[in-house]
Amino acid sequence: MTTSPLSGLAKRLVADQVLDEATAASAIKAARRENQTFVQHAVEAKLVKSRELANIASQAFGSPLFDLGGYNFDLIPKDIVDEKLISKHFALPLYKRGNRLFVAVADPTNLAGLDEINFNTGLSTDAVLVEADKLAKAIENYLSDNGNMGAGLEGMDDEELDGLDVGGDEQDRGDEDEPGGDEAPVVRFVNKVLLDAIRTGASDIHFEPYEKSYRVRFRTDGVLHEIAKPPIQLATRLSARLKVMSKMDISEKRVPQDGRIKMKLSKTKAIDFRVNSLPTLWGEKIVLRILDPSSAKLGIDALGYEDEQKQIYMDALAQPQGMILVTGPTGSGKTVSLYTGLNILNTPERNISTAEDPVEINLEGINQVNVHPKVGLNFAEALRSFLRQDPDIVMVGEIRDLETAEIAIKAAQTGHLVLSTLHTNSAPETLTRLMNMGVPTFNIATSVSVIIAQRLARRLCNECKKPVTLPREVLQAEGFATVTIPQSDWSIFQPVGCEHCSNGYKGRVGVYEVVRITDGISRIIMEGGNSIQIADQAREEGFNNLRVSALRKVVMGVTSLEEANRVTKD
């Protein structure tokens, strides 16, 4: 008979039938591989809820449970425990009394960790039991505020953050910019911010100087949040560091500049950042757009299209010719929709070329061109070249003028599939925009196949969303009568907020208006009809507009009415 390899808290969880023995043993091995404690892995892998685990530990080992939610973190004794020990043992010093140090832990059986802290501090250590998820946030905040910007993040220590492989760094940097001495904290801070943005799913990072302060903000799920306030004295060094990383001219501070950063997280994983600097009254504001190649490979099912809308898009992609137009404001997900379509089309049998300003995501097997208007390579010129290179599919980043529109339509009429974007608010307005550019109505009616207007709405957190019943007057005023889903199937929720999300939302979902150019709509276009007439015809033919699509996602429990109102209007 063999004895169980489990011990401590893992053994207790098995005894209480919270975990089976095989799961617990596997979790211990996984935690060791990831340089984590068993408790960290068990909570992050959602094997057990943080609160439940804390209650079991408290009862099993007679340790009272302390609520970190009510603790004043300004009382934490600084520089007593090395940050690497805090990360290694998942423990945080809370306060010191005489020769005794009280340390927050999520696993009171981790005696080796307490002994090592005891040895390194020379203080008698007492364990204070806390919930694992709250401890993780407290440790992250403490390490960030304490200057060790990289500890505990992605398993990287200070040396790894200093030496993170960032494209464009070594070639353009002089000896004076090596990350040594006083520059090391700036290097670690910038790398930490970039890694945090990737980890939290941010789309943009804003570095902003003001007269007496400096702030860093992330745009997460379409909303900006302040995440750090470095000292204003670091403003110049932060901007210089970012400009060096993105191959900008650090001596030029009077005009805007564009650059790019490639950050290699591993041998197989790299993230690109599109960088822009802007001279402001108090220094250079720098904004980074995060370009994650994996976002282009989500698959059409992950984007939020309803079944009918997805089928219309897929049918248009299957056609040998025609034009697919995607429209919406900046940040509405147009690029992801286009790249998703290109990935579906990307086979060895097809020649695909794209003209973009700039190329945001590199796609293997597709010929991508950066337009450079200053040297004469604009969208129209790139399109002309494409048509001389035997293309099957062409993607134009944006139709901005009549010349580009005419060449794109000519390509769509001569056996090529063309994908492009316009900046309009709805599908019907896209058609009238082309008319206003001067494109003949006959060419529009015979070349455009499908128009997709879209927005991105924040998705409700499944962990904390709360059912809500809306009064009949609200339902009528908001237009729910247009929703064709039976009211018995409605599930309307509102945001709450928990440790798993941001103010009740987690992630985003697309809201779409997908209109196929039918004979009826073509007839209105040929007659020079306006966007209102086109919208009425589209509604009669069963194409949902953005408002109806948003309300459908509300009654399906995907998003809230407040969020639907934020991204769509009647």
Side-chain angles (χ1 to χ4, degrees):
M1 180 177 178
T2 59
T3 57
S4 170
L6 304 180
S7 62
L9 194 51
K11 187 174 182 179
R12 181 69 190 200
L13 292 174
V14 172
D16 288 356
Q17 298 183 346
V18 176
L19 298 178
D20 59 62
E21 188 168 342
T23 302
S26 176
I28 290 173
K29 291 180 181 178
R32 287 172 182 163
R33 285 196 308 269
E34 298 166 8
N35 293 320
Q36 290 182 315
T37 66
F38 166 76
V39 170
Q40 281 177 285
H41 178 78
V43 171
E44 289 182 10
K46 298 186 178 179
L47 301 178
V48 59
K49 290 187 177 179
S50 181
R51 184 72 181 182
E52 180 184 8
L53 189 148
N55 286 330
I56 291 172
S58 176
Q59 294 170 11
F61 303 105
S63 300
L65 186 60
F66 181 76
D67 183 13
L68 278 179
Y71 178 71
N72 181 4
F73 290 96
D74 292 336
L75 300 177
I76 290 180
K78 305 290 184 182
D79 302 324
I80 288 182
V81 180
D82 186 270
E83 290 92 344
K84 292 180 182 178
L85 286 181
I86 291 174
S87 297
K88 177 181 176 182
H89 296 300
F90 198 46
L92 180 68
L94 293 181
Y95 49 93
K96 177 178 173 287
R97 288 181 183 169
N99 198 39
R100 298 175 67 190
L101 180 66
F102 294 85
V103 182
V105 296
D107 183 358
T109 68
N110 184 15
L111 300 180
L114 294 173
D115 287 344
E116 189 171 355
I117 292 173
N118 185 344
F119 177 80
N120 279 269
T121 61
L123 301 172
S124 175
T125 55
D126 291 337
V128 178
L129 182 62
V130 298
E131 294 173 54
D133 55 351
K134 293 181 179 178
L135 178 58
K137 288 187 177 180
I139 289 175
E140 182 178 353
N141 290 336
Y142 171 79
L143 294 176
S144 297
D145 293 341
N146 210 38
N148 182 7
M149 307 307 296
L153 178 76
E154 306 285 344
M156 292 185 174
D157 59 23
D158 288 357
E159 291 182 1
E160 289 173 307
L161 277 172
D162 285 343
L164 198 62
D165 190 353
V166 180
D169 191 11
E170 301 298 329
Q171 307 93 305
D172 298 341
R173 185 175 60 203
D175 293 340
E176 70 278 10
D177 291 317
E178 288 293 336
D182 293 340
E183 293 305 314
V186 173
V187 172
R188 285 199 299 273
F189 176 76
V190 171
N191 289 345
K192 166 67 162 56
V193 168
L194 267 57
L195 287 167
D196 269 355
I198 295 168
R199 188 193 61 186
T200 57
S203 61
D204 302 85
I205 312 170
H206 293 240
F207 291 83
E208 302 171 308
Y210 296 95
E211 182 179 10
K212 297 180 180 178
S213 64
Y214 193 98
R215 69 178 177 182
V216 181
R217 293 190 291 172
F218 289 171
R219 185 178 295 280
T220 308
D221 295 337
V223 179
L224 281 168
H225 303 278
E226 184 177 297
I227 60 98
K229 295 193 74 172
I232 185 62
Q233 293 83 357
L234 294 179
T236 303
R237 290 159 64 186
L238 286 170
S239 63
R241 173 64 183 168
L242 289 163
K243 290 170 74 175
V244 166
M245 292 169 70
S246 52
K247 297 185 179 180
M248 294 183 190
D249 182 356
I250 62 173
S251 65
E252 179 56 77
K253 301 179 181 180
R254 300 165 298 174
V255 296
Q257 295 186 64
D258 291 302
R260 201 175 182 101
I261 296 172
K262 179 182 284 289
M263 176 177 281
K264 291 185 179 179
L265 303 180
S266 67
K267 291 183 179 178
T268 58
K269 177 73 170 177
I271 301 291
D272 284 343
F273 298 82
R274 192 178 75 205
V275 188
N276 176 264
S277 70
L278 177 70
T280 68
L281 189 60
W282 304 110
E284 289 180 285
K285 174 178 178 177
I286 297 182
V287 176
L288 293 81
R289 167 65 58 90
I290 301 173
L291 309 173
D292 186 354
S294 62
S295 66
K297 300 178 182 178
L298 291 172
I300 194 167
D301 292 326
L303 300 186
Y305 286 96
E306 296 184 30
D307 290 340
E308 291 182 5
Q309 295 175 332
K310 182 179 77 171
Q311 193 57 52
I312 293 172
Y313 189 19
M314 294 296 289
D315 289 345
L317 290 172
Q319 297 300 314
Q321 65 184 44
M323 180 181 287
I324 300 172
L325 295 174
V326 182
T327 185
T330 300
S332 61
K334 299 187 299 296
T335 299
V336 173
S337 285
L338 284 175
Y339 279 143
T340 299
L342 289 176
N343 270 320
I344 293 171
L345 297 168
N346 189 12
T347 63
E349 297 80 23
R350 295 187 175 104
N351 176 21
I352 305 175
S353 297
T354 73
E356 304 169 65
D357 183 20
V359 172
E360 295 194 355
I361 297 173
N362 298 326
L363 295 177
E364 186 73 22
I366 294 178
N367 308 293
Q368 297 174 275
V369 175
N370 259 324
V371 299
H372 292 288
K374 290 183 179 179
V375 298
L377 181 58
N378 54 25
F379 284 119
E381 191 59 38
L383 264 175
R384 287 193 188 95
S385 296
F386 290 166
L387 296 178
R388 292 192 290 267
Q389 294 219 335
D390 184 33
D392 296 299
I393 296 148
V394 171
M395 195 268 271
V396 187
E398 183 184 349
I399 294 178
R400 298 175 178 172
D401 51 52
L402 177 59
E403 184 182 18
T404 305
E406 287 179 334
I407 300 171
I409 284 175
K410 178 183 176 183
Q413 291 174 330
T414 55
H416 307 93
L417 182 62
V418 179
L419 293 82
S420 189
T421 71
L422 275 86
H423 282 93
T424 58
N425 292 323
S426 67
E429 290 177 35
T430 302
L431 294 168
T432 55
R433 171 74 182 278
L434 290 173
M435 295 182 205
N436 292 337
M437 279 185 181
V439 180
T441 56
F442 173 80
N443 286 343
I444 298 173
T446 57
S447 61
V448 179
S449 306
V450 167
I451 302 176
I452 301 171
Q454 65 181 82
R455 302 290 188 274
L456 287 177
R458 288 181 292 173
R459 190 188 290 268
L460 283 166
C461 172
N462 288 325
E463 300 287 338
C464 66
K465 64 182 182 182
K466 174 182 174 184
V468 62
T469 301
L470 299 177
R472 180 177 298 177
E473 298 79 15
V474 173
L475 296 176
Q476 291 177 343
E478 296 291 349
F480 279 89
T482 59
V483 177
T484 56
I485 298 174
Q487 195 160 348
S488 58
D489 295 334
W490 289 12
S491 300
I492 302 177
F493 292 85
Q494 64 184 17
V496 177
C498 67
E499 66 271 17
H500 302 287
C501 65
S502 175
N503 299 319
Y505 298 98
K506 187 174 183 179
R508 288 192 287 179
V509 63
V511 176
Y512 302 95
E513 176 185 21
V514 182
V515 176
R516 185 176 61 249
I517 307 305
T518 62
D519 292 342
I521 295 175
S522 293
R523 194 159 39 247
I524 295 174
I525 296 171
M526 295 284 288
E527 295 170 355
N530 57 38
S531 60
I532 296 175
Q533 294 171 304
I534 296 171
D536 290 342
Q537 181 67 28
R539 186 167 53 250
E540 286 181 16
E541 298 195 24
F543 300 117
N544 291 331
N545 61 24
L546 284 166
R547 179 63 180 173
V548 174
S549 293
L551 293 179
R552 286 175 66 88
K553 283 187 165 52
V554 172
V555 302
M556 292 163 63
V558 176
T559 191
S560 66
L561 178 58
E562 294 83 358
E563 187 66 5
N565 287 337
R566 185 180 73 87
V567 299
T568 65
K569 294 181 181 180
D570 290 328

